Amino acid sequence: LQKVHVLPQTVLYIADAETFSGHEECHEQKKARKRNSKETAIALEKLLPKRCQVLGLVTPGIVVTPMGSSSNQPQEIEEGEAGFALLFPKIDGVKIHTFHFSKDSKNRVFDESKFAEAGLKNNPDLRVVLLFGYNSWKSGATRFLHQIVNPLNEKSIILAGGQVESFTSLTSENNNAQPGEACGVVGLAFSGPQIQSATVLLDQDVADEKTAEAAMQRLKAANIPEHNTIGFMFACVGRGYRHYKTKRNMEADAFRKFFPSVPLFGFFGHGEIGCDRIVTGNFVLRECNDIKDDLLHGYTTVMTLIHLGSTK
C-alpha cells in the first residue's frame, strides 16, 4: 500500500483455490489446507486499514482485468494460479457494506428481520446486491439460498453473483474463516441514489461469438454510464473454453468489444445468480407482471455493470 494515496474502506478479493491455499501433497491434508487459508487471509488483512471491510472468496477460476496492462484486456483464467483485489475508497453518495447469513440448523425458516439489520430491507437507496453462496453441496444449501434470494427479488434492485468454494475473510464480523461445515451466503450491498446498474443472463443457448456479442448488445442498450463503472462476470465452471469448443476468453472478449474502457472482474463458480434487469431510477429492462424473475441458474453466465456515479 506504499503507493496508495486513497485508503480503501471496502475490499473484495477473489482467488482460485491453488493460489490461496498452496499446493498440497495429498487430499487428506484438509486441516493443513484450512490452516494455511486462514493464515493467508490474516496476512492479507494486515496489509489493509484496521477499519476496512474485507470480503475474501475462493473460487475454481477467476476473471480479471490486469490494471497494469496497457491494453487492459480482461482475462478468463480457468486454470493455474491467479487472484485479484478490488479496493473501494470512500465514495460520496455511495455506501458499500458486507453481510453474512449462515444456515441455522435449529431453525428451518430464515428470520427476515436480519435483512433489515444488514441494510437489505427498508433501504430506499439500495441498488445492487452481490451474493455469494458457499458450501452449496451441503444438505439444505439450495433451500437456504432461495430463502435469501426470494425476498430480495425486487425490480428496483440488481441481484448478481454465484456459488463459490468458500469465503476466507469477512472482517466486519471479525471472522477470518467460514463457520465450520455450515452453508450460507456472503455478499456486498451497494446503496446510493446515484448508482446505476444492469445485468444480462447468457443462458446455455449462448454458445458462439455471435450470440455472446448479442448478449453484450443487450447490456450496452441499458445505457449505463461507462465512466466510474465496474463490470462483473459470474460464469459456470462448465462454460469457458469447454463450452465454446476450445476457444478461450470468448465472453470476456465480447464484453471488451462493447465496453473497451470498463474493467471486468469475476469468477467461474458452481451456480449463477442473476437475470436481465436494469436499475436506472424507476426503469427496469422488462416487466414481468409482478412475477418474480428466476435468479438461480446453472451452465450460464451473468454479466453485470455497476456505475458508482459521476467522478466530477
Side-chain angles (χ1 to χ4, degrees):
L1 293 175
Q2 292 179 355
K3 295 182 180 180
V4 176
H5 299 289
V6 180
L7 291 177
Q9 286 203 336
T10 308
V11 174
L12 170 66
Y13 71 80
I14 303 178
D16 72 278
E18 287 186 9
T19 298
F20 204 82
S21 300
H23 296 283
E24 301 295 340
E25 293 180 1
C26 64
H27 293 293
E28 279 74 28
Q29 296 181 347
K30 288 185 178 180
K31 289 184 178 179
R33 184 161 61 246
K34 287 183 179 179
R35 183 168 61 249
N36 193 12
S37 295
K38 185 173 182 177
E39 291 171 354
T40 304
I42 292 173
L44 282 171
E45 291 160 17
K46 285 182 178 178
L47 298 174
L48 299 164
K50 289 184 178 180
R51 295 184 179 180
C52 184
Q53 296 185 99
V54 183
L55 175 58
L57 306 174
V58 175
T59 62
I62 70 162
V63 179
V64 61
T65 302
M67 300 310 290
S69 168
S70 59
S71 63
N72 288 335
Q73 173 68 45
Q75 299 175 11
E76 299 176 17
I77 304 177
E78 301 177 64
E79 300 167 346
E81 299 182 20
F84 67 84
L86 292 177
L87 283 65
F88 295 94
K90 181 179 180 180
I91 304 170
D92 290 340
V94 174
K95 181 179 179 181
I96 306 172
H97 67 270
T98 59
F99 60 85
H100 176 210
F101 303 122
S102 181
K103 184 176 182 295
D104 187 345
S105 59
K106 298 179 182 179
N107 300 314
R108 292 182 58 84
V109 179
F110 179 75
D111 182 2
E112 291 191 15
S113 67
K114 295 180 181 179
F115 284 125
E117 295 174 12
L120 301 177
K121 279 290 183 183
N122 304 319
N123 178 3
D125 289 333
L126 182 64
R127 296 291 183 269
V128 182
V129 180
L130 299 183
L131 297 162
F132 311 110
Y134 62 90
N135 282 352
S136 59
W137 52 272
K138 293 287 292 184
S139 175
T142 299
R143 181 175 180 273
F144 182 76
L145 182 58
H146 276 284
Q147 289 181 322
I148 302 300
V149 168
N150 290 346
L152 298 175
N153 190 1
E154 300 177 2
K155 298 299 182 186
S156 59
I157 302 173
I158 291 291
L159 295 178
Q163 299 276 16
V164 302
E165 291 194 357
S166 62
F167 79 88
T168 52
S169 293
L170 193 65
T171 55
S172 63
E173 297 185 2
N174 296 316
N175 186 352
N176 294 313
Q178 66 187 50
E181 294 301 317
C183 61
V185 175
V186 294
L188 289 176
F190 295 76
S191 301
Q194 68 201 45
I195 295 174
Q196 298 183 44
S197 184
T199 58
V200 293
L201 176 70
L202 285 67
D203 61 23
Q204 297 181 43
D205 293 337
V206 177
D208 56 34
E209 186 174 11
K210 182 178 179 181
T211 52
E213 291 186 357
M216 301 310 151
Q217 286 179 319
R218 296 205 313 277
L219 192 59
K220 187 79 172 181
N223 291 320
I224 301 297
E226 294 177 26
H227 64 281
N228 204 23
T229 295
I230 305 171
F232 286 97
M233 172 178 165
F234 305 115
C236 179
V237 291
R239 292 183 72 87
Y241 72 89
R242 298 174 186 86
H243 182 68
Y244 288 101
K245 297 180 174 59
T246 73
K247 186 167 184 180
R248 294 179 180 270
N249 229 63
M250 176 77 80
E251 293 175 346
D253 286 346
F255 179 88
R256 184 173 185 268
K257 180 176 179 178
F258 290 90
F259 302 96
S261 62
V262 177
L264 182 67
F265 301 94
F267 59 75
F268 289 89
H270 303 294
E272 302 75 59
I273 302 170
C275 66
D276 280 19
R277 187 179 290 177
I278 296 173
V279 171
T280 55
N282 295 320
F283 175 73
V284 294
L285 182 61
R286 59 191 178 94
E287 297 289 350
C288 295
N289 299 318
D290 295 326
I291 298 174
K292 297 285 188 179
D293 287 325
D294 184 11
L295 293 172
L296 304 183
H297 311 279
Y299 300 103
T300 64
T301 296
V302 174
M303 287 286 189
T304 306
L305 294 175
I306 302 178
H307 171 64
L308 299 173
S310 173
T311 56
K312 296 180 181 179

